[in-house]
Amino acid sequence: AQTVTQSQPEMSVQEAETVTLSCTYDTSENNYYLFWYKQPPSRQMILVIRQEAYKQQNATENRFSVNFQKAAKSFSLKISDSQLGDTAMYFCALAGGTSYGKLTFGQGTILTVHP
Amino acid sequence: GAVVSQHPSWVICKSGTSVKIECRSLDFQATTMFWYRQFPKQSLMLMATSNEGSKATYEQGVEKDKFLINHASLTLSTLTVTSAHPEDSSFYICSARTGNRYEQYFGPGTRLTVT
């Protein structure tokens, strides 16, 4: 069974500052993908960033980057230069080889960016 | 690209009636579609997985006779909540993926209120 754990129910950050959201996971698969999704108040799920487990290089997308520690099964998301529009619920998710594409989601972290 | 739509975005129905929610992939062929349920400030709970032309696979604890899923084409899946009751009130989200890609593209969700 696959599990994803987000231990920070809520986080807050000042505009323009940097914040890191934590995620740990467990899987027996060798080939898997990790994702961070953002769900703003509109509730539309938006893909923020994706990491393929066989790639050692950490993924980056503009102000968003991850720290992927495969041995520790850790996958944190760093948001630099936080903006008010980053206020949302963030979900860490895992898709593994035998799960037929099913995503296992963490509990979510509510991030609030203050002006 | 990779846009998924849902209709309706919001529906109110009376207890005992049935309601159908449509999920469409607008610019790609969705070989697999997923249906989730989400309560406020909680994570997404996978209800079922459907492959085009096949019967849906339901997660443990999800009543297949209550939540009817049809994936008749590569661009359309429907979720019918039969004999709805107030406890079925929730936010329902569909997602779709194509081929062997792990990435899922999410619809905007449907808010169901049963009175």
Side-chain angles (χ1 to χ4, degrees):
Chain A
Q2 300 177 152
T3 61
V4 176
T5 303
Q6 293 176 250
S7 57
Q8 306 155 312
E10 294 188 39
M11 295 277 285
S12 64
V13 65
Q14 292 295 126
E15 198 174 7
E17 294 188 345
T18 295
V19 64
T20 299
L21 307 183
S22 301
C23 172
T24 57
Y25 64 92
D26 193 20
T27 179
S28 57
E29 301 289 342
N30 289 321
N31 182 28
Y32 56 90
Y33 291 74
L34 292 159
F35 305 90
W36 278 99
Y37 282 92
K38 165 185 176 180
Q39 189 179 41
S42 68
R43 302 191 78 170
Q44 169 74 60
M45 293 286 283
I46 301 167
L47 177 65
V48 174
I49 202 164
R50 171 183 57 217
Q51 176 79 42
E52 295 164 44
Y54 65 87
K55 290 188 177 179
Q56 292 187 336
Q57 186 172 6
N58 289 324
T60 61
E61 286 288 341
N62 300 314
R63 298 183 294 106
F64 299 88
S65 62
V66 298
N67 183 2
F68 175 46
Q69 301 289 327
K70 190 172 183 178
K73 295 184 176 176
S74 170
F75 183 61
S76 61
L77 174 70
K78 185 171 83 172
I79 306 174
S80 304
D81 186 25
S82 296
Q83 300 176 359
L84 297 179
D86 295 333
T87 293
M89 193 158 189
Y90 287 80
F91 293 99
C92 179
L94 164 70
T98 59
S99 66
Y100 305 103
K102 290 198 291 186
L103 284 172
T104 300
F105 284 94
Q107 303 91 325
T109 297
I110 298 173
L111 174 67
T112 304
V113 180
H114 297 286
Chain B
V3 178
V4 176
S5 69
Q6 272 184 251
H7 179 80
S9 57
W10 190 20
V11 58
I12 301 174
C13 70
K14 292 190 176 182
S15 186
T17 63
S18 296
V19 61
K20 179 184 287 188
I21 302 169
E22 291 187 348
C23 176
R24 295 182 184 272
S25 57
L26 299 185
D27 52 3
F28 67 100
Q29 293 186 327
T31 49
T32 307
M33 286 186 166
F34 304 86
W35 286 95
Y36 297 86
R37 185 173 181 176
Q38 186 183 32
F39 293 104
K41 295 190 176 182
Q42 293 189 22
S43 189
L44 281 68
M45 181 189 78
L46 180 65
M47 299 175 67
T49 302
S50 72
N51 293 295
E52 185 264 339
S54 303
K55 287 185 177 180
T57 301
Y58 291 81
E59 295 298 301
Q60 192 172 7
V62 177
E63 298 176 61
K64 63 178 67 176
D65 294 331
K66 180 166 191 62
F67 299 100
L68 301 179
I69 292 171
N70 183 278
H71 191 167
S73 77
L74 284 171
T75 60
L76 173 65
S77 177
T78 59
L79 167 67
T80 301
V81 183
T82 62
S83 187
H85 289 98
E87 57 265 30
D88 298 325
S89 298
S90 189
F91 193 67
Y92 293 88
I93 305 174
C94 75
S95 71
R97 72 178 189 122
T98 184
N100 292 322
R101 294 179 60 87
Y102 285 104
E103 188 169 324
Q104 292 183 23
Y105 305 99
F106 287 83
T110 297
R111 182 182 304 279
L112 170 63
T113 301
V114 184
T115 60

